[in-house]
Amino acid sequence: LCGRGGATNSHPGNRKFRSIVVAHRESYLAAKKKDKPSYAQYVVGLVRNQSPSAKCRFLKKDANSDKWYDIGDEKAKEKVAQALREGAAQLRRDQKRKRRERDDGSDD
């Protein structure tokens, strides 16, 4: 579900979505810039094809009708790419710190 707030964040589909994103974040960030859109599309496919018994979709609520609609693959890819970038700076700092610690420890 696209949106903000507790109800959206706590939705089981959004929790599953975030777990998929976390599992693929490092690979996405390590990918070349030209490969990132196709990687984001790959993650969209993973989400959409999660379960044969449950159709997973990227939904947004229409403010006028109060009905949910699928935002389509292009908007879904944008959402996925944004989610994959979240926390990127912190992840890079952590990786740099780990490399530095590993390199400092190899001098012994």
Side-chain angles (χ1 to χ4, degrees):
L1 304 176
C2 297
R4 296 176 176 258
T8 301
N9 287 335
S10 62
H11 187 278
N14 284 15
R15 288 197 307 262
K16 181 65 176 172
F17 168 73
R18 285 193 301 274
S19 72
I20 292 169
V21 165
V22 167
H24 291 87
R25 182 170 285 139
E26 285 189 51
S27 297
Y28 175 83
L29 295 174
K32 294 178 181 175
K33 186 174 182 173
K34 68 178 183 73
D35 296 329
K36 288 184 178 186
S38 58
Y39 198 91
Q41 186 63 52
Y42 166 73
V43 175
V44 169
L46 287 176
V47 172
R48 288 201 186 273
N49 298 310
Q50 262 308 288
S51 167
S53 63
K55 187 176 180 184
C56 298
R57 299 169 293 170
F58 291 84
L59 300 175
K60 185 172 184 174
K61 197 172 200 176
D62 182 278
N64 295 323
S65 69
D66 238 17
K67 293 183 179 181
W68 293 92
Y69 66 95
D70 191 302
I71 64 172
D73 281 351
E74 199 55 40
K75 282 283 187 196
K77 186 169 74 170
E78 292 171 18
K79 292 281 187 186
V80 166
Q82 177 62 42
L84 287 165
R85 288 190 303 268
E86 284 178 6
Q90 183 63 49
L91 183 61
R92 287 187 186 108
R93 282 192 295 270
D94 291 347
Q95 289 172 337
K96 189 175 182 179
R97 181 183 45 78
K98 287 178 185 175
R99 278 194 303 274
R100 203 171 31 247
E101 289 171 357
R102 185 187 65 231
D103 292 346
D104 288 348
S106 65
D107 291 343
D108 294 336

